[in-house]
Amino acid sequence: MILIINGSPNKTSKTMSIVHELLKDTQEEIKIINSYESNIISCDDCQYCSKIVGCPKTDDFEVISNLIYHCSTLIIASPVYFGGLSDQIMKIINRFQQYFSQKIMMKDKNYPRPKNLILITTQGSKKRSMNRGPRQTFAILKSLFNPQNSSYILITNSDHVHILNQKKVIKKIANVKRKIIFL
Ligand SMILES: Cc1cc2nc3c(=O)[nH]c(=O)nc-3n(C[C@H](O)[C@H](O)[C@H](O)COP(=O)(O)O)c2cc1C
């Protein structure tokens, strides 16, 4: 199963248009979590997960976590907001802290391990330096999940040019499709 966590609040999200292009020919089951429609409590560093595996908060993250455990491919899609990922997707990612504690502090190997990890971001600016924050988050996620395959698709200049009309965007998507989606 391919799990998409959508970090855009937009119904006609440019970032999700990249995801749909990437997955348009796959036969695999796809599940989408829309972060802006999810009830997620912020991680407040309560330290529960440093002593006990899991998280005491009860909200939509329970469903998301269950899907992360069962997916083969985890796709995180987000617009770039002020040089980072969107706030609602960060609320979800910050809740992954329980997996870090499980893995590093509790030495419990039963944390989720999606085989493939893909981060997709779009940004209005042409400046590639905007992706420093998302790239660092991606590096942390890779070290957490240790996926067999991983890829980061960064699309710039989304506010001025229709992104799927850009040849380099289609080429980039095709490369990731070959490498990960149709292994
Ligand atoms: C709150 C907010 C902050 C943004 N910050 C940046 C930014 O720092 N750099 C940038 O290049 N674009 C920025 N943008 C533009 C979005 O990243 C861009 O329009 C994106 O492609 C929207 O994706 P979506 O249609 O999937 O939501 C920002 C947009 C909003 C609404």
Side-chain angles (χ1 to χ4, degrees):
M1 177 259 290
I2 298 174
L3 174 63
I4 301 157
I5 307 182
N6 169 21
S8 170
N10 289 314
K11 292 278 173 253
T12 51
S13 159
K14 294 165 199 161
T15 319
M16 283 302 284
S17 72
I18 301 291
V19 176
H20 293 311
E21 179 66 27
L22 181 69
L23 299 180
K24 72 178 180 197
D25 302 316
T26 183
Q27 300 301 316
E28 241 189 290
E29 184 189 5
I30 296 171
K31 293 213 186 279
I32 303 179
I33 296 288
N34 291 309
S35 63
Y36 279 82
E37 290 165 13
S38 305
N39 170 35
I40 306 292
I41 301 168
S42 297
C43 173
D44 57 1
D45 197 10
C46 71
Q47 299 289 324
Y48 177 99
C49 66
S50 63
K51 298 175 204 87
I52 297 167
V53 170
C55 178
K57 297 180 172 42
T58 50
D59 59 9
D60 292 344
F61 189 79
E62 287 173 73
V63 175
I64 298 172
S65 186
N66 192 35
L67 291 170
I68 293 175
Y69 267 101
H70 290 100
C71 72
S72 57
T73 301
L74 173 59
I75 299 180
I76 296 179
S78 174
V80 169
Y81 281 179
F82 284 82
L85 301 179
S86 73
D87 49 339
Q88 197 62 16
I89 204 125
M90 281 314 298
K91 268 171 100 176
I92 292 177
I93 291 174
N94 288 344
R95 294 286 292 282
F96 294 176
Q97 180 62 17
Q98 64 190 281
Y99 306 142
F100 247 116
S101 298
Q102 185 174 353
K103 180 180 175 183
I104 307 296
M105 294 159 96
M106 318 284 285
K107 311 275 182 235
D108 177 330
K109 294 200 171 110
N110 193 29
Y111 59 91
R113 294 176 193 210
K115 203 162 69 156
N116 309 308
L117 175 69
I118 303 173
L119 175 66
I120 300 175
T121 64
T122 66
Q123 61 179 52
S125 166
K126 282 186 183 173
K127 282 190 196 153
R128 295 187 67 83
S129 57
M130 286 287 170
N131 79 3
R132 281 193 200 131
R135 194 169 283 285
Q136 184 60 47
T137 304
F138 184 54
I140 296 168
L141 291 173
K142 275 204 292 186
S143 87
L144 169 61
F145 293 127
N146 294 122
Q148 287 171 29
N149 308 290
S150 61
S151 214
Y152 175 24
I153 303 178
L154 159 75
I155 308 295
T156 60
N157 204 16
S158 67
D159 291 343
H160 308 289
V161 184
H162 191 294
I163 46 180
L164 288 173
N165 287 346
Q166 298 182 42
K167 268 195 192 142
K168 61 177 183 191
V169 171
I170 297 297
K171 203 168 155 196
K172 208 178 281 186
I173 295 171
N175 281 342
V176 175
K177 207 183 258 192
R178 255 196 312 277
K179 188 174 144 200
I180 298 185
I181 302 298
F182 299 111
L183 276 174

